[in-house]
Amino acid sequence: MQIETVNLGFIYDAKKQQHVIKRMVDHFRHLSKEYKIRLVFFTLENLDIEEQIINGTTITGNDIRQEHASLPPLIYNFAMHYTINQIEIMRNLRKMNNVTVINPINRFIQDIIFEMLTTLTGSQQFLLPSATFNESTLTEYLNNKYHTLFLLPEKTFHPPKAVVIKRFRKNHYMICFGQNGKMCGKDDLLDYIKKMMNNKKYILMKGIKYFHWGEGPLEARVYLQKGAGGEWSNITISAKSCIFSKDIFYDTKINNILNGFITNEIKNIEQTLADVSLRICRFLDFHIPFLGSCTIDYIFDEDHCPHLVYVGGFEQNQYLYLSMDPAVQYKLLNNAFHYLLFLANYSNEKG
Amino acid sequence: MIWIKAQIEDTSPLEHSPNIIYVSESLADKLKTQTKLFFGQAEITISVQVSPAIPECMGTQFHDPAPIRFSPNLFKQLLIQESAVYQMHYTETTINIGPVIGFLLGDQHYYYHHRRLKELTYAMGVYEKVGGLFIAFRQCSISWQEMCIYGLYFNYGIQRWQYGKLPLPSVVYRRGFISNKNFVNKCNDLLNWKIFNEVRFDKWQFYNQLKENNILNQYLPETELLTVDNLSKFLNKYSKVILKPTKLSRGRGISILTSGCDGNLEVHDYRRFADFKITTSQLADYLHEGKYLQSAYIIQRFLDVPRINGCPWDIRVVMQKNRWKQWVCNGIECRLAGAGKLITNISSGGRALELNEVLQLAFGTEIDPIQVGKDIGSISMEFCKMMDRTGFRFAEFGLDLAIDQKMHYWFIEANVRPTFNGFKTLDDRIYRQICYEPILYSASIAGFGWEDNDGTSIQHHS
C-alpha cells in the first residue's frame, strides 16, 4: 500500500457536511497550489489511529486523489462527532504526542462554559444568571427571583431549542416552546418540565424581556476564528431566529434587520457584540486548549443589550453555513488553513 | 504557625490603597509594622496595622482561624481567596501565608470542571490538616502577561472546585504528562516553583537506571529494545517473551509471544480478540505489519510466576514521599489477571487482592508473608533512593514487582504517575492515605505544616 505524506489535515462529516465538502475541497485546492502544501480531507471512519493512516482525499494543487496518507501533524476538525466510537477516536487523536488537533470538540457543555465565564471580569454585562436545572434551582428561581425563565439544553447534537417559562398569574405558568405555548399549574410545573426534558440535562437561566423579531427574539450569531497570526478575530455577525423560534430564519448581516428599527445604535450594537465575543474567546483559551473556531449566540433585551445564550465550535448547521455570503464561507476556510500554517511555522521556528 | 482567614478590608479606599494588613491587637504585638509578605510566588512589602474591629483570636485551630483583613489593593494583587483557611508563619522580616499548591493536569479531559476532578476532590479530604489554596490548572491556564492562572480552586466552604483568577503556586504536583515538553522547563526557568514528578521516565530509561544499580540489577528480567534480531535471540533463549511500548501504561500496546513445540509462535496481541499462530519466518512481517518497529518497544522475558486458578498476578507497590519528606511505602496490592488474560492491569480486567491472600493461594505455607513484605519494602526503597540521585524531583511511584516459582523477586517496571484504582476496592483507608500523602508532602515542601489529629497544634518540619 502506497502511503503519501501530507502536511495538513481536515476532518469533516461525510453525511452532515456533504453539501459543503465539494466547495471546501475546491477552495483548498487553490490554497494548496498557492502555498505548495499537501492537504488531506478525511472522516474519522477512514482514520486508522493504531496505524496512523488515513484513507482520504489528498489535495496537491489541482491534483485531487482518493488515497492513503500518513496522519499529518496538524489537523483542523470541522465536524461534530456523535457516536461513542467517533468520540473515542477523537479523544485518542487529541491525546497523541505527535498530532495537534484544532477544535477537537465542536459542541460544549453549556453550563460548564457559563460557569467559566462567570469569572471573566465584566461578564455580568452579557451573562444572565444561570444554574443547572433541578427541582431546587427551579423553585429558587421562580419563588424568589425571576418572573421569566429560559431553559436550554446542557449540550445537544442538534441546534439548541429554548423553552420559556413565564409566570402568567399567581400559581400559573405559560410554557413556550417555539411559538407553541401551554398553561401549567404550579403543582404540575416540575413534572411537566421533566417530562419535556426526557431525562436530558438542562440549564435554567434568568429570562428577560427580549427585543422581538417576528414571533420571537432576534438572535445574533457571532463567528470568530483564529487566523494567520494565531489571534482571534471577528469574521461576521449574522441575524437569525432559531433557538427560541420554531422556524429558522437567517440573514447574513445583522445590520439588515436592525436597520429599520434602531438605526442610530447599529454601530454600537455590532461593536459590543464583536468586543464581548472576542473577550469570551480569549478568555476561553485559558480553559479550553486548541480552540480555533467559535460561534457565539446572543439575544437582545429591550434596551438592545446582548445576552449570551449559546457557545459552539465550528458552524455545524449546514443551512446557516450555506446561507452565508460565499466570501464569508471562504474566509472561514482560509482562516482554518492559515491558522494551521501559522502553527506549522511556529513549531518549525521552535525547532 | 497560626491558622488565619483572609478578608477584604472594605472601609479602606478601593484604588491605590497602600498594602496593609489589619490584625487584632494581640497578633499585631507579634508582627513587625513593616514586613515582607509571601503568598504563592508573590512577595510584597506591607504594613501591619491594628484594627480594633477585629476580634481577638489566637488561630490555634483550623476551625477557629484568626481573621486578618487586607487592603483592597493588596487583596487584588495577591489574588487571595476568601473561602480558604490559611496557615501563617512569621519571622522578624517576613510573613508567609499559604500553602499555595498547584495540580498540573494532563489531557485526560479536554476541559476541566468540578465534576471531572473527583480524585482531587477526594484528596481534599485532608484539607483541614493543611488548609491553603489548591489550584487545578493546565498548560493553557497560565497568563504570562498577568502572571496568574485562570483555573479551578478548591472552595473549602462548599467543597467544590470553582473557576477563578488565581495566584501562581509555590509548589506544583504534576498530575499529567502533557505533550509540550518545553512547558515544564519554561516554568522552571521563569517561575520560582518547585514541581514534583517533573519528568517522566519511560520503561527503557527506567531499565537503564536500574541496570546500573548493583542492588537492583539482580531483580531485572533481561530486557532489550525491540528489533527483529533481538526478538529472535530472546525467542531462542526463552519460551515466552513480552513486547511492551516504552511510553504506554495500563497494558496498552502489549503483545506476548510463546514458542510452541511445533516451531510456531503463539501470539497474544492486545489488539486482537483471539490468540493466533505465526511461523518464525513470519516474525519480521508480524512486527512490520503491527508497526512494532516504528514505535519504541522493549522486549522482556515473560516471567513465569506461580498462577492462581491459571491466572498470572503481580505486585503493585505505592511509594510516596510523606510530610517529613521521606519515602514511605503506602500500599501493596496484588493484581490478578482476569480469566483467560495474561495482563494484570486493573484497567485491563485485573482485580486487586491482598498480598497475604495471594501469597497463600500461590505458595501455600512455603513463604513467609512478613518477610516478603519487608523484602518488597527494601527493594522499593532502594529504587526511590536511586531515583532521587538523578536530581529530578519525584514524590510518587507505582512499582510493579513479581515473585517467581523459585521465590526470586523481579522488578517489572516503574510508573511515575500511577493509578491506584485497586486500592479503592481493597482498602478505603489505604486509598485515602495514598490520596492525602502528596497533599501533605506539597504543604511540607511549600514550607508549611499540618495539624495534628487531635487538632491541638500545627506540626512543622523544615
mmCIF file of all heavy atoms in Angstrom, chain A residues 133-153:
data_model
loop_
_atom_site.group_PDB
_atom_site.id
_atom_site.type_symbol
_atom_site.label_atom_id
_atom_site.label_comp_id
_atom_site.label_asym_id
_atom_site.label_seq_id
_atom_site.Cartn_x
_atom_site.Cartn_y
_atom_site.Cartn_z
ATOM 1 N N PHE A 133 -30.385 22.852 35.861
ATOM 2 C CA PHE A 133 -31.793 22.670 36.228
ATOM 3 C C PHE A 133 -31.955 21.512 37.201
ATOM 4 O O PHE A 133 -31.444 20.414 36.982
ATOM 5 C CB PHE A 133 -32.632 22.370 34.970
ATOM 6 C CG PHE A 133 -34.053 22.009 35.304
ATOM 7 C CD1 PHE A 133 -34.996 22.991 35.473
ATOM 8 C CD2 PHE A 133 -34.426 20.684 35.482
ATOM 9 C CE1 PHE A 133 -36.308 22.671 35.819
ATOM 10 C CE2 PHE A 133 -35.730 20.342 35.817
ATOM 11 C CZ PHE A 133 -36.668 21.345 35.984
ATOM 12 N N ASN A 134 -32.638 21.756 38.283
ATOM 13 C CA ASN A 134 -33.143 20.691 39.158
ATOM 14 C C ASN A 134 -34.286 21.303 39.967
ATOM 15 O O ASN A 134 -34.595 22.499 39.818
ATOM 16 C CB ASN A 134 -32.047 20.096 40.057
ATOM 17 C CG ASN A 134 -31.356 21.141 40.909
ATOM 18 O OD1 ASN A 134 -32.015 22.018 41.476
ATOM 19 N ND2 ASN A 134 -30.042 21.068 40.972
ATOM 20 N N GLU A 135 -34.894 20.499 40.774
ATOM 21 C CA GLU A 135 -36.085 20.975 41.493
ATOM 22 C C GLU A 135 -35.768 22.201 42.353
ATOM 23 O O GLU A 135 -36.520 23.181 42.363
ATOM 24 C CB GLU A 135 -36.644 19.842 42.363
ATOM 25 C CG GLU A 135 -37.972 20.206 42.979
ATOM 26 C CD GLU A 135 -38.610 19.055 43.727
ATOM 27 O OE1 GLU A 135 -38.119 17.926 43.624
ATOM 28 O OE2 GLU A 135 -39.616 19.314 44.419
ATOM 29 N N SER A 136 -34.615 22.137 43.020
ATOM 30 C CA SER A 136 -34.336 23.242 43.950
ATOM 31 C C SER A 136 -33.995 24.543 43.196
ATOM 32 O O SER A 136 -34.398 25.624 43.630
ATOM 33 C CB SER A 136 -33.249 22.843 44.944
ATOM 34 O OG SER A 136 -31.994 23.048 44.416
ATOM 35 N N THR A 137 -33.267 24.428 42.077
ATOM 36 C CA THR A 137 -32.954 25.675 41.354
ATOM 37 C C THR A 137 -34.221 26.249 40.721
ATOM 38 O O THR A 137 -34.407 27.459 40.673
ATOM 39 C CB THR A 137 -31.866 25.466 40.274
ATOM 40 O OG1 THR A 137 -32.221 24.365 39.443
ATOM 41 C CG2 THR A 137 -30.510 25.211 40.876
ATOM 42 N N LEU A 138 -35.103 25.359 40.251
ATOM 43 C CA LEU A 138 -36.361 25.845 39.670
ATOM 44 C C LEU A 138 -37.177 26.587 40.730
ATOM 45 O O LEU A 138 -37.674 27.695 40.495
ATOM 46 C CB LEU A 138 -37.169 24.675 39.089
ATOM 47 C CG LEU A 138 -38.508 25.061 38.477
ATOM 48 C CD1 LEU A 138 -38.318 25.841 37.184
ATOM 49 C CD2 LEU A 138 -39.378 23.830 38.205
ATOM 50 N N THR A 139 -37.279 25.979 41.906
ATOM 51 C CA THR A 139 -38.044 26.598 42.998
ATOM 52 C C THR A 139 -37.417 27.943 43.376
ATOM 53 O O THR A 139 -38.118 28.943 43.522
ATOM 54 C CB THR A 139 -38.053 25.653 44.228
ATOM 55 O OG1 THR A 139 -38.470 24.381 43.776
ATOM 56 C CG2 THR A 139 -38.972 26.159 45.312
ATOM 57 N N GLU A 140 -36.082 27.918 43.513
ATOM 58 C CA GLU A 140 -35.379 29.142 43.915
ATOM 59 C C GLU A 140 -35.605 30.255 42.887
ATOM 60 O O GLU A 140 -35.938 31.394 43.248
ATOM 61 C CB GLU A 140 -33.879 28.830 44.027
ATOM 62 C CG GLU A 140 -33.044 29.999 44.496
ATOM 63 C CD GLU A 140 -31.559 29.796 44.219
ATOM 64 O OE1 GLU A 140 -31.124 28.640 44.072
ATOM 65 O OE2 GLU A 140 -30.857 30.813 44.123
ATOM 66 N N TYR A 141 -35.446 29.925 41.618
ATOM 67 C CA TYR A 141 -35.562 30.939 40.576
ATOM 68 C C TYR A 141 -36.987 31.471 40.457
ATOM 69 O O TYR A 141 -37.200 32.667 40.262
ATOM 70 C CB TYR A 141 -35.106 30.360 39.226
ATOM 71 C CG TYR A 141 -33.608 30.472 38.974
ATOM 72 C CD1 TYR A 141 -32.699 30.362 40.013
ATOM 73 C CD2 TYR A 141 -33.114 30.693 37.701
ATOM 74 C CE1 TYR A 141 -31.341 30.456 39.785
ATOM 75 C CE2 TYR A 141 -31.751 30.789 37.460
ATOM 76 C CZ TYR A 141 -30.867 30.677 38.514
ATOM 77 O OH TYR A 141 -29.519 30.775 38.295
ATOM 78 N N LEU A 142 -37.963 30.564 40.605
ATOM 79 C CA LEU A 142 -39.346 31.008 40.409
ATOM 80 C C LEU A 142 -39.910 31.716 41.627
ATOM 81 O O LEU A 142 -40.582 32.736 41.516
ATOM 82 C CB LEU A 142 -40.239 29.815 40.067
ATOM 83 C CG LEU A 142 -40.175 29.323 38.615
ATOM 84 C CD1 LEU A 142 -41.074 28.132 38.429
ATOM 85 C CD2 LEU A 142 -40.556 30.429 37.636
ATOM 86 N N ASN A 143 -39.600 31.157 42.810
ATOM 87 C CA ASN A 143 -40.213 31.705 44.014
ATOM 88 C C ASN A 143 -39.644 33.062 44.394
ATOM 89 O O ASN A 143 -40.360 33.953 44.804
ATOM 90 C CB ASN A 143 -40.019 30.750 45.197
ATOM 91 C CG ASN A 143 -40.961 29.576 45.080
ATOM 92 O OD1 ASN A 143 -41.739 29.513 44.129
ATOM 93 N ND2 ASN A 143 -40.883 28.655 46.011
ATOM 94 N N ASN A 144 -38.347 33.151 44.271
ATOM 95 C CA ASN A 144 -37.731 34.339 44.863
ATOM 96 C C ASN A 144 -37.197 35.347 43.877
ATOM 97 O O ASN A 144 -36.954 36.484 44.229
ATOM 98 C CB ASN A 144 -36.567 33.909 45.776
ATOM 99 C CG ASN A 144 -36.989 32.834 46.737
ATOM 100 O OD1 ASN A 144 -38.080 32.915 47.287
ATOM 101 N ND2 ASN A 144 -36.167 31.828 46.904
ATOM 102 N N LYS A 145 -36.955 34.899 42.671
ATOM 103 C CA LYS A 145 -36.130 35.777 41.853
ATOM 104 C C LYS A 145 -36.788 36.303 40.585
ATOM 105 O O LYS A 145 -36.872 37.498 40.398
ATOM 106 C CB LYS A 145 -34.844 35.052 41.469
ATOM 107 C CG LYS A 145 -33.875 34.859 42.624
ATOM 108 C CD LYS A 145 -32.595 34.236 42.129
ATOM 109 C CE LYS A 145 -31.525 34.182 43.205
ATOM 110 N NZ LYS A 145 -30.346 33.466 42.740
ATOM 111 N N TYR A 146 -37.182 35.402 39.730
ATOM 112 C CA TYR A 146 -37.455 35.845 38.366
ATOM 113 C C TYR A 146 -38.875 35.525 37.894
ATOM 114 O O TYR A 146 -39.424 34.470 38.189
ATOM 115 C CB TYR A 146 -36.439 35.215 37.403
ATOM 116 C CG TYR A 146 -35.017 35.348 37.891
ATOM 117 C CD1 TYR A 146 -34.223 34.224 38.122
ATOM 118 C CD2 TYR A 146 -34.463 36.603 38.154
ATOM 119 C CE1 TYR A 146 -32.925 34.346 38.585
ATOM 120 C CE2 TYR A 146 -33.174 36.740 38.630
ATOM 121 C CZ TYR A 146 -32.404 35.600 38.844
ATOM 122 O OH TYR A 146 -31.135 35.725 39.312
ATOM 123 N N HIS A 147 -39.360 36.422 37.070
ATOM 124 C CA HIS A 147 -40.688 36.301 36.503
ATOM 125 C C HIS A 147 -40.679 35.361 35.296
ATOM 126 O O HIS A 147 -41.608 34.609 35.053
ATOM 127 C CB HIS A 147 -41.140 37.710 36.087
ATOM 128 C CG HIS A 147 -42.501 37.767 35.531
ATOM 129 N ND1 HIS A 147 -42.756 37.616 34.189
ATOM 130 C CD2 HIS A 147 -43.698 37.939 36.132
ATOM 131 C CE1 HIS A 147 -44.058 37.695 33.992
ATOM 132 N NE2 HIS A 147 -44.642 37.902 35.154
ATOM 133 N N THR A 148 -39.581 35.398 34.575
ATOM 134 C CA THR A 148 -39.442 34.578 33.357
ATOM 135 C C THR A 148 -38.152 33.777 33.426
ATOM 136 O O THR A 148 -37.135 34.276 33.908
ATOM 137 C CB THR A 148 -39.388 35.480 32.106
ATOM 138 O OG1 THR A 148 -40.513 36.357 32.132
ATOM 139 C CG2 THR A 148 -39.395 34.670 30.826
ATOM 140 N N LEU A 149 -38.220 32.543 32.960
ATOM 141 C CA LEU A 149 -37.020 31.699 32.921
ATOM 142 C C LEU A 149 -36.824 31.136 31.525
ATOM 143 O O LEU A 149 -37.792 30.875 30.814
ATOM 144 C CB LEU A 149 -37.160 30.511 33.895
ATOM 145 C CG LEU A 149 -37.346 30.817 35.367
ATOM 146 C CD1 LEU A 149 -37.495 29.516 36.149
ATOM 147 C CD2 LEU A 149 -36.153 31.585 35.902
ATOM 148 N N PHE A 150 -35.551 30.928 31.173
ATOM 149 C CA PHE A 150 -35.228 30.204 29.942
ATOM 150 C C PHE A 150 -34.630 28.862 30.337
ATOM 151 O O PHE A 150 -33.843 28.775 31.288
ATOM 152 C CB PHE A 150 -34.185 30.957 29.107
ATOM 153 C CG PHE A 150 -34.613 32.304 28.630
ATOM 154 C CD1 PHE A 150 -33.679 33.314 28.419
ATOM 155 C CD2 PHE A 150 -35.959 32.577 28.366
ATOM 156 C CE1 PHE A 150 -34.061 34.565 27.973
ATOM 157 C CE2 PHE A 150 -36.351 33.827 27.913
ATOM 158 C CZ PHE A 150 -35.405 34.828 27.721
ATOM 159 N N LEU A 151 -35.018 27.859 29.590
ATOM 160 C CA LEU A 151 -34.489 26.523 29.835
ATOM 161 C C LEU A 151 -33.773 26.114 28.546
ATOM 162 O O LEU A 151 -34.391 26.071 27.478
ATOM 163 C CB LEU A 151 -35.674 25.598 30.112
ATOM 164 C CG LEU A 151 -35.483 24.325 30.895
ATOM 165 C CD1 LEU A 151 -34.838 24.581 32.243
ATOM 166 C CD2 LEU A 151 -36.837 23.642 31.102
ATOM 167 N N LEU A 152 -32.478 25.812 28.663
ATOM 168 C CA LEU A 152 -31.700 25.464 27.459
ATOM 169 C C LEU A 152 -30.971 24.146 27.672
ATOM 170 O O LEU A 152 -30.491 23.885 28.786
ATOM 171 C CB LEU A 152 -30.668 26.562 27.172
ATOM 172 C CG LEU A 152 -31.234 27.792 26.491
ATOM 173 C CD1 LEU A 152 -30.512 29.043 26.918
ATOM 174 C CD2 LEU A 152 -31.137 27.630 24.986
ATOM 175 N N PRO A 153 -30.864 23.326 26.630
ATOM 176 C CA PRO A 153 -30.172 22.038 26.806
ATOM 177 C C PRO A 153 -28.710 22.246 27.169
ATOM 178 O O PRO A 153 -28.061 23.158 26.640
ATOM 179 C CB PRO A 153 -30.307 21.349 25.451
ATOM 180 C CG PRO A 153 -30.701 22.396 24.497
ATOM 181 C CD PRO A 153 -31.345 23.499 25.251
#
